[in-house]
Amino acid sequence: MHASKHTLNISIEPFGDSAIIVRFGNRINSDIYEKVQMLANDLENNPFPGMIECVPAYTNVAVYYHPFVVYESFKQVNNHVSPFQIVKSVIEEVIDQLEEGKRTNNRVIEIPVCYGGEYGPDIEKVAKHNLLTVDQVIDIHSNGEYRVYMIGFAPGFPFLGGMSEKIATPRRSTPRQLIPPGSVGIAGGQTGVYPIATPGGWQLIGQTPLQLFLPDKTPPCLLQAGNIVKFVPISEQEFLYQKEEIE
């Protein structure tokens, strides 16, 4: 086992008995997330024997594996160590070989949004909470660039970082039982889009006609971790037109 200059500040720990978690830090920022993406991309493209999947998040990567397959695959060279120690060593070697500056998956996707009204029933609350007008909320939200830090909660649900604190608003005290697909919401300092009809507690400020989750497509999710999202305001007429065209 080793700890090179690349892994000294990285925490690698067991995550249950068949997974390992690699932590690059505890703050949400672009530099840390780039490292998360680089490791996740490398593992996805070059999985080690026994690896099941890796799941990137804001500051860490969880790697799931079959302990027996790992042990059987590496026992010739690591006969007296546990599957966790084997996987830890493999990941340390991957981290050492990651190329700084090698960025991937920075695809930019524009998402049209009809803000306010029945499509964004909480936008006035967001404006009032931040002492702004509704138009100012729309202007701030649609002028940002948002990185997809992770997909989770529901199929295709993107957790987007980079939203201005000027429109940050706490979650609803009582979640809605059913939110329409395509709804754009705010929760604290984050924004996101509900891909499917589901309960949820985010403040809804608008809705997109785009379909973010299509299980019959490959890949099924429109957005992937690492993508950059820009929201583009559209009128209700344009929203209805695009929705009809898509469906």
Side-chain angles (χ1 to χ4, degrees), residues 2-225:
H2 70 287
S4 74
K5 64 179 182 180
H6 298 295
T7 56
L8 282 176
N9 297 319
I10 299 172
S11 167
I12 304 177
E13 303 170 354
F15 193 53
D17 59 2
S18 58
I20 194 168
I21 188 162
V22 184
R23 305 182 195 277
F24 290 90
N26 54 18
R27 294 177 295 109
I28 299 175
N29 65 43
S30 296
D31 289 340
I32 288 177
Y33 190 69
E34 290 288 358
K35 295 174 182 175
V36 168
Q37 271 298 298
M38 289 169 64
L39 176 60
N41 289 342
D42 194 287
L43 290 174
E44 287 173 353
N45 293 327
N46 307 285
F48 57 84
M51 176 178 148
I52 300 173
E53 65 172 340
C54 65
V55 181
Y58 285 97
T59 61
N60 59 64
V61 181
V63 184
Y64 296 84
Y65 57 89
H66 292 290
F68 179 75
V69 176
V70 167
Y71 181 77
E72 286 294 307
S73 300
F74 292 91
K75 67 180 181 181
Q76 297 297 328
V77 292
N78 294 289
N79 196 29
H80 301 294
V81 297
S82 68
F84 162 73
Q85 290 171 312
I86 294 170
V87 173
K88 182 173 183 286
S89 180
V90 168
I91 289 177
E92 286 176 339
E93 291 181 8
V94 172
I95 292 173
D96 280 350
Q97 295 171 6
L98 292 178
E99 296 179 28
E100 292 293 339
K102 183 181 178 182
R103 305 293 186 249
T104 58
N105 214 13
N106 285 333
R107 184 169 62 117
V108 178
I109 299 171
E110 292 189 346
I111 295 183
V113 178
C114 181
Y115 286 96
E118 65 179 285
Y119 307 103
D122 298 324
I123 198 167
E124 291 188 6
K125 181 179 179 181
V126 171
K128 185 177 180 180
H129 177 81
N130 292 288
L131 303 179
L132 299 169
T133 66
V134 167
D135 286 342
Q136 287 174 319
V137 171
I138 296 172
D139 185 61
I140 293 170
H141 189 263
S142 61
N143 274 294
E145 285 193 355
Y146 306 92
R147 181 179 293 279
V148 181
Y149 276 95
M150 61 179 291
I151 301 292
F153 164 63
F157 186 101
F159 285 88
L160 304 176
M163 192 185 75
S164 171
E165 288 296 322
K166 294 178 180 178
I167 54 174
T169 309
R171 295 165 57 92
R172 291 170 54 87
S173 56
T174 303
R176 289 184 170 87
Q177 294 185 353
L178 191 63
I179 290 177
S183 294
V184 179
I186 287 175
Q190 299 181 96
T191 186
V193 185
Y194 286 88
I196 60 175
T198 177
W202 291 37
Q203 307 285 355
L204 305 184
I205 62 171
Q207 193 176 133
T208 179
L210 294 187
Q211 296 177 321
L212 272 66
F213 179 66
L214 293 169
D216 296 334
K217 300 289 186 181
T218 303
C221 301
L222 173 65
L223 302 176
Q224 306 294 323

